[in-house]
Structures are given as C-alpha cells and as structure tokens.
Amino acid sequence: MLPTRRLLYTTLALSGGTRALKPPTTRVRTMSALATTNTVANKDGAYVRHAAKHRTDAVEAEAGRYHLHVALACPWAAGALSMLYLKGLEDAISLSVVHPTWQRTRPDDPEDQHCGWVYRAPGDAPLSNPLGHGSYDCDDALIPDPTGAASIRDVYAKAGDASGPFTTPALFDKKTGKLVSNESMDILKLLNSAFDKVAKHPERTFYPGDLAGDLQTLNDELVYPNVNNGVYRCGFAKSQKAYDAAVAGLFEALEDLDKRLASQRFLGGDKFSWLDLRLYHTLVRFDPVYVVYFKTNVKRIADYPNLVNFVRDVYQSVEPVRRATNIKHIKMHYYTSHPALNTYGIIPASMGPDLEAEHGRGAADGVYFTH
Ligand SMILES: N[C@@H](CCC(=O)N[C@@H](CS)C(=O)NCC(=O)O)C(=O)O
C-alpha cells in the first residue's frame, strides 16, 4: 500500500493537480540526512537516541586548553555544567552558552533545513521559532562562542564532523581542534577527577568508590532508561504503543525512586553523587515542561512528596547545581524548538514547583563526598 502522504499527492495529481502538488522529496531527503537527536524512531515508532560519536576517558589536565559548549535547557549539558561548577573548574575550562530556541543553521541554503543550537549575545535581537512565530529574547545567560562560531553545527564542522547530530554538551580541545567528547557521561567523569590538578575543589568527588557498582546498576536499570531517557521516549514516540510502554516504565520508576528517597536523602545515602545530579536535571524539568510537552501527565513531581523535596534539597543545598539551573531557558527551548510539536511556540505559564520552599531533608553543609 502507498504511504498516506504519497497517496494524498497522487490523488491530487490524478484529479488535475499541478507541479506544485508534488511531494517535497528534496526537502525530506535533506532533513533526514542531518538528523537531530529527536527525529529517529524505530519501525515500531519508539524513539531511539543516537549514540555519541566522540568519546574519550583521558584528557591532559591543562588550564585554558578545553572549552565546554552548553545549552542550559539540555539536561545532559546542565549536568556537565553543574559538575564544572561543583569542582571549581570555571577558571580552567572556558564555557559558552547557546540560545535556547533552535534555528535553521544554514538559513541561506533553501535545500538545507537542519535546525539546531545557535549562538547569540545578550542584547541581540530576539529570535523566532524555526517557522517564524514568537519572539524569544537574548538574555544575560547567553555566552557567545569565543571563536565566533554561529552554531554548534559550525563548531562540529570545524572539528571535522559535518554530519552530526550536533549535540550539547560538547567538550572541545582548543590545542588539537578536536571534539574530545559529546557524551555527557564521559564528560561528567572527566570533570570529576581528570582535571583535579587545576580544580578549586580537587577534594570533592561525585563518584564514591564504594558505591560505584550500586549507582551504576541503578542508573543502567532504572534512572537512565526509564527516567532520563524515558521522558524523551514518551515525548518523541511516534506510535501509541511506543508511548504507552515508555510512560508505564517512567511512572513505575518514579514510584520506585520516591520510595527509595523516603528513607535516604540521596540515591547513594546521605551524600550527593553523580546519579543524584542526573536524576535532578530530569526532575527539575518535569513539571514545567515534560508533563505538558512530553505527555508525561500521569502525575507531576509535585505529587511525589519525596521527589519534589529531593529536587528542592538539591537546588538549595548544592549551590553549583542551582547555578546551572535556568528554568526560563529550559521552558523556552522545549516549547519553541520543535514546530512539529508546538507550531506557534507558545510557552505555557507554570514554572513548576516552588524550588525555594522548605524541603525538610537536611542541612546544606556536609553533602559532598571527598576523595
Ligand atoms: N548522548 C548525549 C545526548 C545529548 C543530547 O541529546 N543533546 C540534545 C539536547 S538535550 C541536543 O543537543 N540535540 C541537538 C540535536 O539533536 O540536533 C549526551 O548525553 O551527552
């Protein structure tokens, strides 16, 4: 049987349609050749995340050599940025922050429809969504790329990767001109210990050795597949069946995590680890964005007493993580960057739970493991 769209065009052509009614084959081909992370689904309509192409577990701990490209909206990048702040690496690793609203990255080429992260400076003219709707300002959180790159795609292209996906976080080596890693799990680990010679907080670790196996297992079996990536599997599902499976897994995992966090302050006990960081950055986006945008509406995080207070506790007790949390960028990105999901780029009102409210889980001091 013919696919629906092809059938529609064929029917119009048979009924006296003109050349203008031909399927837009060139445009479709161009878009699929340069995939974004959310355009890929398997034959059952389930969202499939691209594996990161640039990986490493080794760097030279040289101050001033590396640069981190970040989207504050992106949970993976905000995690990496949190780690950079937690370790006190602001003076050793330079940083740039993209505009939250995806744009055409080759606006002068009508054949090239790729949309992705672009750089703008605070005070530049506001941007519209990729269809031209809305007006999204350039605020003080933006940090343009120091080399003048216009987009993350340009950064990758300069480093020899012209095909993407052009994702954040991306750790770039200024000395070799190469992308060191665009996998947040690698970047977290590298920032945690590989730069200790140039870090202000070499004594802090977020990978406690005695809990390594337990945290990794909890991540691999529950937190990453069902929660961190689970919200994306809900939001970018292309079939009801795929969505149903993702949303069931997500809420089973949230029930489980809420129970765990009833008897312990953090996932590894009374101190804050990398896995708490990963969980936090999904949960803090959940009510302001995912409940609406990714249809994760069985419950809100505000309905889980331990999860909502865990988020508040991290926000209030772990100041570097709070510094990497920007709810305005988070909302602006998701609601304005995918015209197929939100044509007019309207940003809903709620900012999510009050992150400053009392959480009753513990004091701000003593939350860090030490090496
Ligand atoms: N495996 C990557 C995934 C990163 C990722 O998916 N980033 C998204 C933003 S949340 C992105 O930059 N997407 C741009 C695109 O797909 O073009 C990681 O965890 O670092």
Side-chain angles (χ1 to χ4, degrees):
M1 208 173 88
L2 288 165
T4 322
R5 190 183 51 200
R6 172 84 46 193
L7 187 62
L8 174 68
Y9 282 106
T10 307
T11 310
L12 288 169
L14 286 174
S15 64
T18 67
R19 271 191 312 153
L21 293 172
K22 275 192 187 158
T25 46
T26 314
R27 179 162 180 246
V28 170
R29 206 180 312 122
T30 309
M31 286 180 82
S32 58
L34 283 173
T36 66
T37 50
N38 58 44
T39 52
V40 188
N42 68 14
K43 64 175 179 19
D44 298 323
Y47 167 65
V48 182
R49 182 174 291 280
H50 286 275
K53 277 162 69 175
H54 307 276
R55 309 282 309 258
T56 191
D57 55 7
V59 284
E60 302 291 326
E62 263 176 59
R65 173 164 170 181
Y66 297 92
H67 185 89
L68 186 65
H69 296 270
V70 168
L72 295 177
C74 167
W76 324 104
L81 180 61
S82 307
M83 188 62 94
L84 185 147
Y85 290 153
L86 283 161
K87 292 292 294 188
L89 285 165
E90 303 82 333
D91 298 335
I93 298 177
S94 54
L95 176 74
S96 48
V97 174
V98 294
H99 192 282
T101 303
W102 283 2
Q103 300 289 300
R104 296 263 310 274
T105 53
R106 296 286 180 272
D108 300 330
D109 179 355
E111 295 291 298
D112 189 326
Q113 297 287 322
H114 174 261
C115 290
W117 303 113
V118 296
Y119 279 109
R120 286 294 186 278
D124 278 356
L127 300 182
S128 302
N129 81 354
L131 294 182
H133 300 295
S135 174
Y136 310 110
D137 64 0
C138 293
D139 65 19
D140 289 348
L142 301 180
I143 308 177
D145 178 64
T147 69
S151 65
I152 293 292
R153 181 178 178 183
D154 285 355
V155 170
Y156 275 63
K158 239 194 274 173
D161 179 354
S163 57
F166 311 113
T167 56
T168 66
L171 187 64
F172 179 76
D173 183 344
K174 296 185 238 179
K175 199 161 169 179
T176 62
K178 297 252 161 60
L179 279 168
V180 174
S181 177
N182 67 346
E183 170 50 55
S184 55
M185 284 294 241
D186 293 350
I187 298 174
L188 281 187
K189 272 202 192 118
L190 290 170
L191 297 178
N192 180 66
S193 53
F195 291 95
D196 275 356
K197 269 204 283 190
V198 294
K200 281 185 208 141
H201 294 294
E203 77 290 356
R204 290 181 186 167
T205 182
F206 300 91
Y207 287 77
D210 53 335
L211 296 176
D214 291 349
L215 293 177
Q216 195 63 51
T217 304
L218 186 57
N219 177 69
D220 297 351
E221 293 180 355
L222 196 81
V223 177
Y224 178 76
N226 291 354
V227 182
N228 300 144
N229 199 40
V231 292
Y232 285 88
R233 289 171 47 233
C234 294
F236 294 133
K238 291 184 178 162
S239 74
Q240 187 67 46
K241 198 169 151 219
Y243 165 80
D244 289 346
V247 86
L250 168 63
F251 282 92
E252 255 171 53
L254 292 179
E255 296 293 336
D256 178 322
L257 292 165
D258 189 62
K259 280 199 195 92
R260 285 171 195 262
L261 291 169
S263 56
Q264 58 194 63
R265 186 170 176 190
F266 299 114
L267 293 171
D270 60 356
K271 304 226 186 280
F272 180 78
S273 77
W274 66 273
L275 191 57
D276 299 303
L277 181 58
R278 299 278 285 192
L279 179 62
Y280 166 86
H281 277 296
T282 294
L283 298 189
V284 81
R285 286 158 176 71
F286 203 96
D287 291 7
V289 175
Y290 302 147
V291 167
V292 176
Y293 203 58
F294 283 175
K295 309 179 192 81
T296 61
N297 64 352
V298 176
K299 278 188 183 183
R300 301 166 308 160
I301 296 307
D303 300 320
Y304 291 101
N306 303 304
L307 293 183
V308 72
N309 283 327
F310 164 84
V311 174
R312 290 178 172 135
D313 185 10
V314 174
Y315 184 80
Q316 294 172 36
S317 307
V318 192
E319 186 278 334
V321 174
R322 174 196 190 113
R323 243 191 295 156
T325 304
N326 186 318
I327 302 289
K328 181 184 158 193
H329 273 228
I330 290 169
K331 290 180 61 183
M332 192 181 278
H333 164 60
Y334 288 94
Y335 289 115
T336 69
S337 295
H338 319 107
L341 296 187
N342 191 15
T343 303
Y344 296 103
I346 305 293
I347 303 175
S350 171
M351 298 293 276
D354 176 4
L355 298 176
E356 304 283 4
E358 191 65 52
H359 56 77
R361 292 180 70 79
D365 52 341
V367 293
Y368 298 131
F369 291 99
T370 51
H371 271 296

